[in-house]
Amino acid sequence: MILSLEAVTGGYGEVDILNGIDLALEAGSILTVAGTNGAGKSTLAKAVVGLLPRVGGRIRLDGRDIVGLPAEERARAGIGYVPQVANVFPSLTIEENLAVVEGVADRRGRIGALLAMFPALAERRRFRAQSLSGGERQQLAFARALMTAPRVMVLDEPTAALAPSRVAESFERIATLARTGIAVLLIEQRARQALAISHRGAILDGGKVALAGPAADLLADETAARLFLGAG
Amino acid sequence: MTDLLELAIAGLMSGLVIGLAALAVTLVFGIARFANAATGDTMTLGAYATLGGTAATGSLIAGGAIGILAGAAAGVIAYATVFRKLERRSPVAALLASIGVGFVIRAGLGLVYGHGQQVFQLPLVRPWRVWGIRIQPTDLEIAAAALATLAAVFLILHATPIGRQMRAVADDPDLARVSGIAPRRVMIALWALAGGVAAVAGCLLGIKTVVAPEMGWDMLLPAFAAAILGGIGHPVGAVVAGVLLGIAQETATPWVGFTYKIALSFAVLLLVLLVRPRGLFGRIEGVR
Ligand SMILES: Nc1ncnc2c1ncn2[C@@H]1O[C@H](COP(=O)(O)OP(=O)(O)O)[C@@H](O)[C@H]1O
Ligand SMILES: [Mg+2]
């Protein structure tokens, strides 16, 4: 297991938002985390990347407990993160958004490779990120998170800000990430589509894992379908 | 007409000083997210250190460098001892603490140097006359120093890795951290930069007028007004607004009188806060 969570609790203040979460993620696999609004999905993502003020339990990256590690060191240790909102530096140019990332071995080469991967960004490399469309911002956020060549990517509702016509493309890109060996923790409202490209799935409710298992089983599970996956 | 032009030139000079002070305010506000009321007293410290450094080395340039170092050191020390510990608290706590830090600097300088005024002993130069307008060669040197400082700050912000990191933290501190940027390094660089800029402002003000323990504190209101007018957290805006405010203050003097020109800053401050809180250049989302 590249990433594992054991009895993870935590929150922003006195109140626990996460109430004992166990999850595991294998290299090159995708784990979808679904759940209603306010279930604690984004809070879980913050706990993993190191932005949650208070965390209990264990979070292991390659077996090493990283709960005490600050966010910037987790990033350098190989955890990439695309937040749900505010996922680019708006006043920095496209190129600066990538160049600003620390803990990158060959920065120039990496920027070149990522811009080649996202031609729309390459074209506008000298423009400020605030001038980008929602879809382009998403691409930049992906590229920024990929700068450190992470082994784990935490994606918080990557398709939420996209035009419907762009959603399939985005899921395709995520599947490609996993094929290159990156472990993906995919938080998604579009649970059916997400599960379709995932190996495993978990459904969060009230800061707890309500249901978990192989993605195919969850898709077939009537209770899961009725309670959490909706019609889509 | 000539009189008005000469007033405008005087305004430009004080405007550059206000602009530099506002730049120091706005840098700290944009990145550390509070209004630093110790900025004025850091200016004063810079002026005294330059005075002392000039006396010790016999060179104003070397003295200025010592002044800048002193301002930068004061900024870093204030961060390490006070502001770092208030990072997770409200901006009001930091603002109140900064009033205290400013008081300590001011009182310390008063204790060491006394409350009298000191002046830079510069050779007297006859003013030039260009189309009947008097121009002081010293003013040109002051303007050149101010512009060089601005150029240096913008170079640091836009052409160095640490400057890029500062702008990233200003945009989004959490996103900066998950991008591997260590906040501590950025903060130390910020406080050194802001302290150095404030010291230059104080030094130029001291050369233009006199050096006294209250000189910087008296500049705080215009500096805040310019920072807000320029769109808080917006470096270019702060400088432009500082110059505008300086020119407005001086050219208004014949009408409002010398004692009331400072009131203009206050009027501008109130007006901007009431009518256009984001200032001339600020983005509304820039203020979080
Ligand atoms: N920054 C915050 N400070 C305090 N409470 C928060 C914060 N962000 C989210 N919460 C609370 O945490 C709970 C879970 O939120 P979140 O993790 O964002 O849910 P989800 O992503 O599943 O919609 C909610 O009750 C929300 O109000
Ligand atoms: Mg969320």
Side-chain angles (χ1 to χ4, degrees):
Chain A
M1 288 299 154
I2 180 116
L3 182 77
S4 66
L5 280 68
E6 298 159 23
V8 169
T9 58
Y12 302 91
E14 298 292 302
V15 189
D16 270 345
I17 305 285
L18 305 178
N19 296 302
I21 291 187
D22 296 279
L23 285 175
L25 184 57
E26 253 174 279
S29 79
I30 303 176
L31 167 67
T32 285
V33 174
T36 51
N37 262 330
K41 304 184 296 296
S42 293
T43 306
L44 172 68
K46 287 181 190 154
V48 172
V49 302
L51 291 179
L52 195 63
R54 192 172 52 76
V55 180
R58 281 187 207 296
I59 301 174
R60 290 184 199 280
L61 180 67
D62 264 343
R64 167 187 175 209
D65 190 359
I66 57 167
V67 162
L69 219 56
E72 60 273 20
E73 282 173 39
R74 292 193 207 187
R76 294 175 196 195
I79 298 185
Y81 174 43
V82 177
Q84 183 170 356
V85 287
N87 52 20
V88 298
F89 299 107
S91 76
L92 270 59
T93 65
I94 312 303
E95 198 166 8
E96 285 176 334
N97 262 274
L98 304 179
V100 80
V101 177
E102 286 290 300
V104 183
D106 167 24
R107 194 175 273 142
R108 283 288 125 213
R110 193 77 191 149
I111 292 174
L114 284 166
L115 287 179
M117 218 168 111
F118 298 98
L121 298 180
E123 239 170 70
R124 317 195 56 179
R125 59 200 293 166
R126 308 230 182 274
F127 287 83
R128 288 180 178 221
Q130 66 200 13
S131 71
L132 296 179
S133 72
E136 291 164 338
R137 269 183 198 229
Q138 198 66 50
Q139 294 184 18
L140 179 57
F142 260 83
R144 184 196 47 71
L146 287 171
M147 273 301 284
T148 53
R151 289 172 295 162
V152 174
M153 277 280 261
V154 179
L155 308 176
D156 195 352
E157 302 206 23
T159 69
L162 296 187
S165 58
R166 289 301 181 82
V167 170
E169 179 192 329
S170 179
F171 279 123
E172 185 45 47
R173 186 177 308 125
I174 294 164
T176 310
L177 279 187
R179 279 195 291 273
T180 64
I182 298 174
V184 181
L185 179 63
L186 173 60
I187 292 169
E188 257 304 334
Q189 294 273 12
R190 292 183 163 96
R192 278 176 200 281
Q193 276 170 286
L195 284 170
I197 61 160
S198 295
H199 304 83
R200 297 185 63 84
I203 288 160
L204 227 58
D205 190 29
K208 276 190 147 94
V209 176
L211 263 177
D217 292 4
L218 282 181
L219 277 170
D221 187 310
E222 255 182 47
T223 328
R226 188 162 38 79
L227 287 179
F228 302 107
L229 303 186
Chain B
M1 192 59 207
T2 343
D3 285 354
L4 200 61
L5 273 175
E6 280 175 6
L7 282 176
I9 291 173
L12 178 64
M13 300 314 299
S14 58
L16 284 170
V17 171
I18 297 173
L20 284 173
L23 179 58
V25 169
T26 225
L27 282 172
V28 171
F29 193 94
I31 299 167
R33 284 163 199 273
F34 71 93
N36 179 17
T39 306
D41 300 299
T42 310
M43 289 172 65
T44 315
L45 179 77
Y48 274 105
T50 304
L51 207 56
T54 306
T57 61
S59 147
L60 183 57
I61 302 284
I66 290 170
I68 292 173
L69 284 179
V76 172
I77 291 169
Y79 167 68
T81 56
V82 180
F83 300 128
R84 184 168 65 88
K85 307 198 159 89
L86 299 172
E87 260 166 3
R88 299 255 154 222
R89 309 270 283 280
S90 84
V92 176
L95 167 63
L96 291 176
S98 74
I99 295 175
V101 168
F103 178 81
V104 169
I105 295 174
R106 193 155 70 248
L109 290 172
L111 219 63
V112 175
Y113 294 99
H115 285 268
Q117 299 181 340
Q118 302 193 34
V119 289
F120 278 91
Q121 302 292 343
L122 298 178
L124 278 177
V125 206
R126 192 187 289 275
W128 300 338
R129 282 196 174 270
V130 183
W131 296 306
I133 302 162
R134 262 177 305 159
I135 294 179
Q136 304 282 349
T138 334
D139 278 359
L140 289 181
E141 286 165 20
I142 291 175
L147 293 178
T149 307
L150 293 177
V153 171
F154 286 100
L155 260 179
I156 290 172
L157 285 178
H158 289 275
T160 69
I162 191 75
R164 196 159 55 205
Q165 290 175 23
M166 283 188 209
R167 289 183 294 129
V169 172
D171 265 5
D172 190 331
D174 280 350
L175 193 63
R177 293 185 61 201
V178 299
S179 304
I181 298 168
R184 197 106 309 158
R185 275 191 61 218
V186 172
M187 285 316 213
I188 289 172
L190 160 72
W191 283 100
L193 183 63
V197 170
V200 173
C203 167
L204 297 184
L205 180 64
I207 291 173
K208 187 78 193 135
T209 59
V210 293
V211 179
E214 309 288 329
M215 64 184 276
W217 176 249
D218 293 340
M219 288 299 290
L220 196 60
L221 190 58
F224 275 8
I228 289 169
L229 178 62
I232 190 84
H234 193 301
V236 178
V239 175
V240 172
V243 169
L244 289 178
L245 200 58
I247 292 175
Q249 264 185 11
E250 294 302 326
T251 49
T253 308
W255 290 279
V256 301
F258 183 76
T259 32
Y260 288 105
K261 75 173 182 188
I262 193 84
L264 194 74
S265 296
F266 193 59
V268 167
L269 187 82
L270 275 185
L271 202 70
V272 176
L273 286 177
L274 292 173
V275 177
R276 195 179 158 89
R278 84 189 95 149
L280 293 177
F281 299 86
R283 291 167 289 134
I284 203 77
E285 70 267 38
V287 183
R288 266 185 271 244

